[in-house]
Amino acid sequence: MNRSILVTGATGNVGREVVRLLYDEGYHIKAAVRNLKNIDDALTPQVEYVVFDFQQQNTFIDALQGV
């Protein structure tokens, strides 16, 4: 069973906690970010970061693959 979840807002205060809690429960996390250059090292390093922007439809396919 694929237990992947896309978390939007993954670098924000709430999103950061959601990523951590879901990761601790054993889910594979795809953390959606607008710009990969803005990833904070403090985020859970085992998550997969993907570019996703609600206003850029070309980012949807890769971000939603497998979730």
Side-chain angles (χ1 to χ4, degrees):
M1 174 172 122
N2 187 352
R3 293 172 45 121
S4 293
I5 295 179
L6 178 69
V7 178
T8 60
T11 58
N13 291 331
V14 174
R16 212 177 277 258
E17 272 303 297
V18 170
V19 167
R20 187 187 63 78
L21 291 170
L22 289 172
Y23 177 79
D24 288 349
E25 289 295 319
Y27 289 92
H28 173 262
I29 305 301
K30 290 182 90 170
V33 296
R34 282 192 214 136
N35 188 335
L36 293 174
K37 294 178 184 177
N38 296 335
I39 295 172
D40 182 346
D41 291 338
L43 291 172
T44 306
Q46 297 87 352
V47 303
E48 177 185 354
Y49 295 96
V50 294
V51 175
F52 182 76
D53 187 330
F54 285 108
Q55 296 180 2
Q56 302 290 326
Q57 288 185 337
N58 61 326
T59 65
F60 289 21
I61 292 173
D62 288 338
L64 296 171
Q65 186 74 33
V67 297

